[in-house]
Amino acid sequence: MFKVTKTGEHQLELALSGRLDSEAMKVALDELVEASRQMEHGRMLYRIGDFEWPTMGAMGVELARLPALLGMIRRFDKIAVVAAERWIRSASKLEGALIPGLEVRAFAPAEEEAARTWLAR
């Protein structure tokens, strides 16, 4: 499951759990790009639940849409990743370090309020 919710003029919340196949990935990425289209200096709360690796077809869809995703990510200044798995939180921080102008912080599920507070600053 991948759910995109616009929670403010410049804020999105994403929820990911389970495994995405190619069709679910297409729909999810289209929703994400569309929901962020008019944003500037956006903020995103990204909750990752029971993570399963996407199918190979889903990863192919993501790679094919990489240019659109890179354009979309530039609309954001901050992303808070909330995940139980430590390796996901570490990978999120690394990803943030590789994208200029984007600040990414990772939080455990018990720290979701701290994530929301950080995004609001």
Side-chain angles (χ1 to χ4, degrees):
M1 181 219 39
F2 189 91
K3 183 177 179 184
V4 178
T5 306
K6 193 168 183 176
T7 57
E9 186 177 354
H10 299 285
Q11 186 158 328
L12 294 180
E13 288 192 16
L14 278 61
L16 171 67
S17 64
R19 185 174 189 152
L20 294 177
D21 61 17
S22 60
E23 192 56 40
M25 182 67 83
K26 286 178 193 173
V27 170
L29 295 180
D30 287 347
E31 286 180 17
L32 178 58
V33 170
E34 184 57 35
S36 66
R37 189 167 306 283
Q38 302 300 320
M39 290 188 174
E40 294 179 19
H41 305 290
R43 295 164 192 280
M44 182 187 304
L45 178 70
Y46 191 3
R47 283 190 305 278
I48 301 173
D50 296 328
F51 178 80
E52 292 182 37
W53 287 103
T55 65
M56 290 300 286
M59 290 192 291
V61 167
E62 188 173 15
L63 284 174
R65 295 179 186 215
L66 198 55
L69 292 173
L70 290 173
M72 182 270 313
I73 205 71
R74 289 187 186 114
R75 297 181 193 128
F76 290 87
D77 292 340
K78 288 180 159 184
I79 298 177
V81 177
V82 177
E85 297 287 336
R86 177 174 279 144
W87 73 267
I88 294 174
R89 294 193 308 263
S90 296
S92 299
K93 292 177 199 175
L94 177 61
E95 187 175 6
L98 297 175
I99 301 172
L102 179 63
E103 190 175 359
V104 178
R105 289 208 183 155
F107 300 84
E111 302 172 311
E112 185 171 326
E113 276 309 309
R116 291 178 183 280
T117 299
W118 176 74
L119 281 174
R121 291 188 214 155

